[in-house]
Amino acid sequence: MQAYLTRGIKNIIAEFPRIGKILEEYGIGCGPCTVGICQLKDILEIHKVSKEAEVELMLRIEAEIYPDRKISVQSNTVPLQNTSSEKVYFSRALQILVDEHKLIKRWLALIPDLTKNLDLALEKDRQVIGNGIDFIRSYADQLHHGKEEDILFTFFDDTADIFQVIYEDHRKARELVQKMLRAFDDKNTQELTSNVLEYAALLEEHIHKEDAVLFPWLDSGLAQEEKEELVSRFERSDRNLSIDIRRYQTFIEEIEQQFT
Ligand SMILES: [Fe+2]
Ligand SMILES: [Fe+2]
């Protein structure tokens, strides 16, 4: 059983589909979840399963993996329910990051329309894309990913796999921004379109991983004083960067108006 604890849950469900159904009975929606970065050992911690249910659930999973062991389990600690769609309430600290995601997602949602008839030889298109890349670098990366990497993650042991997935997404996003800048300078519309669309898909999925899995888990591991300290460090970080957030909000609102 030990060997399965460090295997990805998606992988385990692919091999033993009934385990997905069993998890759903405990309100853990790993089957339909598109994040897919958790290992079996993380599931119980991330989804806050009671001690009693945890023992029962692990025995049921073990019985599925090793049917020859004849493990007898009586399922009676939890009602059949799926709580995975319940609204998550964040602390003020984590809500700051979730709210920043909302503005980033508004920009990502505009990308398919913006890139449809893009022509980097046209000054008006260069202006919009130039501002968009600036938003990605200043707001999404410097201000937002900066808060995650330099402040929030320092409160945890970030060697866990889930953090490595997040760091890798940030790295790929930065690499794509460098490619966008080169394509922008070369007026290579096709290359830039492909980079921007790839960035949008990456960030959409990345934000979902954070909102649905990582942040609720991190939030539950923070003490009240730590949450308060995070808020003041986030605010200090914004002041030090002196990025004009209002300017980016206006920029996105204006583009949204063009497409509605
Ligand atoms: Fe992130
Ligand atoms: Fe984020």
Side-chain angles (χ1 to χ4, degrees):
M1 189 62 191
Q2 204 63 24
Y4 281 90
L5 292 177
T6 52
R7 267 183 63 183
I9 192 66
K10 284 287 203 189
N11 207 282
I12 294 177
I13 292 173
E15 195 177 336
F16 306 96
R18 273 180 46 83
I19 291 180
K21 297 268 173 282
I22 293 171
L23 286 166
E24 277 176 33
E25 290 179 29
Y26 294 77
I28 302 173
C30 293
C33 174
T34 55
V35 177
I37 51 175
C38 300
Q39 296 180 347
L40 177 58
K41 68 177 171 54
D42 302 326
I43 298 295
L44 304 168
E45 198 181 338
I46 288 172
H47 290 276
K48 293 261 157 287
V49 178
S50 73
K51 257 282 154 277
E52 208 184 2
E54 179 181 325
V55 173
E56 178 187 293
L57 176 57
M58 290 312 280
L59 284 172
R60 290 184 68 187
I61 291 175
E62 191 173 348
E64 284 300 320
I65 296 175
Y66 303 103
D68 296 345
R69 289 188 185 172
K70 308 241 179 319
I71 298 159
S72 96
V73 196
Q74 270 203 324
S75 174
N76 54 13
T77 61
V78 285
L80 287 171
Q81 59 176 0
N82 188 344
T83 56
S84 59
S85 59
E86 276 178 13
K87 184 165 176 20
V88 179
Y89 291 95
F90 292 104
S91 66
R92 201 174 140 224
L94 271 290
Q95 190 62 48
I96 289 173
L97 298 177
V98 171
D99 287 344
E100 288 171 358
H101 285 168
K102 288 179 188 160
L103 189 63
I104 298 169
K105 278 171 32 178
R106 281 170 63 189
W107 165 243
L108 300 179
L110 290 165
I111 287 175
D113 278 333
L114 271 174
T115 50
K116 218 170 272 167
N117 298 306
L118 186 71
D119 182 355
L120 284 181
L122 299 174
E123 192 44 44
K124 67 170 182 47
D125 285 7
R126 292 189 68 76
Q127 192 125 28
V128 173
I129 292 298
N131 282 336
I133 297 175
D134 177 44
F135 169 75
I136 290 170
R137 297 177 81 190
S138 304
Y139 187 89
D141 195 35
Q142 214 184 353
L143 178 137
H144 177 75
H145 292 161
K147 273 196 195 94
E148 291 172 349
E149 292 183 354
D150 302 335
I151 304 175
L152 175 64
F153 297 170
T154 65
F155 284 65
F156 298 89
D157 171 11
D158 68 352
T159 56
D161 282 356
I162 193 165
F163 285 102
Q164 301 318 307
V165 172
I166 295 295
Y167 284 132
E168 179 59 12
D169 285 348
H170 289 181
R171 189 197 64 72
K172 279 190 201 149
R174 287 171 187 138
E175 195 176 80
L176 281 168
V177 170
Q178 291 311 311
K179 287 184 181 172
M180 280 178 220
L181 289 169
R182 278 196 294 275
F184 185 80
D185 287 345
D186 297 343
K187 298 191 177 158
N188 187 337
T189 305
Q190 205 184 354
E191 174 68 15
L192 184 122
T193 299
S194 137
N195 298 154
V196 175
L197 288 172
E198 192 179 339
Y199 177 90
L202 172 75
L203 257 271
E204 278 280 359
E205 187 61 37
H206 177 76
I207 288 173
H208 178 59
K209 286 173 197 166
E210 292 182 338
D211 285 351
V213 178
L214 183 68
F215 287 179
W217 182 42
L218 297 187
D219 219 2
S220 68
L222 288 164
Q224 190 52 37
E225 318 80 71
E226 290 177 314
K227 290 174 183 169
E228 283 159 21
E229 190 189 333
L230 270 173
V231 172
S232 56
R233 286 184 61 185
F234 284 167
E235 288 172 349
R236 203 180 326 138
S237 168
D238 282 353
R239 280 196 301 276
N240 289 342
L241 281 174
S242 62
I243 286 172
D244 186 353
I245 296 169
R246 189 61 218 144
R247 185 170 74 84
Y248 290 120
Q249 285 166 339
T250 308
F251 161 66
I252 288 169
E253 276 158 24
E254 283 170 2
I255 314 264
E256 282 170 339
Q257 278 161 17
Q258 280 179 35
F259 290 105
T260 49

